[in-house]
């Protein structure tokens, strides 16, 4: 079965530090990749997505992610985090065959201290 | 803006009760989903539906059923609630048309079974 791994469960950073959250998936075919974010008390919302083309994608609020096919990875990055980035981040994948079934990773809880 | 509304933010039910969680979306989306979110496990798909009266099992359907009588409404039913069903339940919807469409989430229902 397809799976998504996020190895960092909790990350604590100071404001202005750089962020990189890891995401790896296990599926040999063509995939679509997503990062979702859940701010405290809010609903999950899409941060960015990758389907094809340029492997470096930019999302909202200064986030970007890089797809590396050979490593089955889709890591999320931000050069300088802010206190308002405190949230839980989920990587997710759909396969390019058949129905859209989002498979999520276990999430990474990010705490940014001011 | 797409709105996915879950009828309750918090619910407390007794073991053995039949529990209904309701979800309504206002954007005429074909697809609707129910996930449960648990710390350290991420989001796991319980059931999904790609059309009225159609339903498909997700990864953890045991102990749950669903109903979709109208396009905008997708109900999750716990036939006989148990304490291991204490969790956060998230409803989502998306347009039909394949695996690249963005999913929109509700605020979640935190269910406690005592």
């Amino acid at each position: 079965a397809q799976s998504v791994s996020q190895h960092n469960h909790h990350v604590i950073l100071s404001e202005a530090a750089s962020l990189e959250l890891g995401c790896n998936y296990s599926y040999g075919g063509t995939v679509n990749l997503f990062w979702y974010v859940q701010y405290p008390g809010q609903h999950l919302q899409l941060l960015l997505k990758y389907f094809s083309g340029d492997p470096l994608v930019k999302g909202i609020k200064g986030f970007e992610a890089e797809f590396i096919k050979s490593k089955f990875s889709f890591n999320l990055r931000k050069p300088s985090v802010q206190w308002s980035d405190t949230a839980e981040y989920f990587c997710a994948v759909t396969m390019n065959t058949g129905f859209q079934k989002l498979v999520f990773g276990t999430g990474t809880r990010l705490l940014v201290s001011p | 803006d797409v709105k996915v509304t879950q009828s309750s933010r918090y619910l407390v039910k007794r073991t053995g009760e039949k529990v209904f969680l309701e979800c309504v979306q206002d954007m005429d989306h074909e697809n609707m989903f129910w996930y449960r979110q648990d710390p350290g496990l991420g989001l796991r798909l319980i059931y999904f539906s790609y059309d009225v009266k159609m339903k498909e099992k997700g990864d953890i359907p045991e102990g749950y059923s669903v109903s979709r009588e109208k396009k905008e409404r997708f109900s999750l039913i716990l036939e006989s609630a148990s304490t291991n069903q204490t969790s956060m339940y998230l409803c989502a919807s998306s347009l039909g048309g394949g695996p690249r469409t963005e999913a929109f989430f509700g605020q979640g229902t935190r269910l406690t079974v005592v």
Side-chain angles (χ1 to χ4, degrees):
Chain A
Q2 305 86 6
S3 67
V4 178
S5 299
Q6 292 181 245
H7 302 294
N8 312 102
H9 298 298
H10 291 91
V11 173
I12 301 173
L13 294 173
S14 299
E15 273 193 315
S18 65
L19 170 71
E20 180 158 4
L21 301 182
C23 172
N24 290 89
Y25 63 93
S26 66
Y27 181 67
T30 304
V31 295
N32 308 291
L33 295 153
F34 305 80
W35 276 97
Y36 281 82
V37 61
Q38 187 174 34
Y39 297 104
Q42 296 189 26
H43 61 274
L44 267 165
Q45 56 189 283
L46 184 67
L47 204 53
L48 49 77
K49 59 192 176 187
Y50 172 79
F51 301 149
S52 62
D54 187 345
L56 186 62
V57 293
K58 295 192 184 299
I60 60 172
K61 304 189 181 188
F63 285 91
E64 64 180 30
E66 184 176 14
F67 171 57
I68 302 179
K69 189 175 181 180
S70 60
K71 294 185 178 181
F72 297 88
S73 70
F74 188 55
N75 291 354
L76 181 71
R77 300 196 292 244
K78 186 170 184 180
S80 176
V81 294
Q82 301 172 315
W83 176 79
S84 57
D85 294 324
T86 293
E88 192 159 16
Y89 294 82
F90 293 93
C91 183
V93 61
T94 62
M95 314 310 149
N96 228 22
T97 54
F99 183 77
Q100 176 209 11
K101 178 182 159 183
L102 263 174
V103 177
F104 281 87
T106 53
T108 298
R109 201 174 286 273
L110 172 67
L111 175 63
V112 180
S113 57
Chain B
D1 275 353
V2 173
K3 194 150 186 188
V4 179
T5 303
Q6 295 181 231
S7 54
S8 304
R9 290 294 302 274
Y10 301 93
L11 273 180
V12 180
K13 297 292 181 180
R14 294 193 180 280
T15 303
E17 272 193 81
K18 190 169 186 175
V19 181
F20 293 85
L21 303 184
E22 306 287 345
C23 175
V24 176
Q25 50 94 4
D26 66 358
M27 283 301 290
D28 204 35
H29 283 173
E30 287 81 8
N31 305 326
M32 295 190 75
F33 309 82
W34 276 106
Y35 288 87
R36 64 177 282 177
Q37 182 181 5
D38 299 288
L41 297 178
L43 278 74
R44 294 177 292 165
L45 183 63
I46 305 171
Y47 267 96
F48 61 95
S49 168
Y50 52 88
D51 200 352
V52 177
K53 297 192 185 294
M54 305 301 290
K55 59 185 179 185
E56 295 285 343
K57 292 180 180 179
D59 299 316
I60 51 163
E62 297 78 19
Y64 302 95
S65 62
V66 290
S67 172
R68 194 167 180 200
E69 297 295 320
K70 294 185 177 182
K71 191 175 185 180
E72 67 270 18
R73 188 179 296 270
F74 192 36
S75 303
L76 179 69
I77 303 154
L78 284 66
E79 298 291 343
S80 177
S82 64
T83 54
N84 63 12
Q85 292 178 309
T86 291
S87 186
M88 173 69 88
Y89 291 87
L90 298 180
C91 176
S93 72
S94 68
L95 275 172
R100 295 184 170 185
T101 56
E102 177 185 351
F104 294 85
F105 286 81
Q107 292 270 54
T109 297
R110 186 167 294 281
L111 172 68
T112 302
V113 182
V114 298

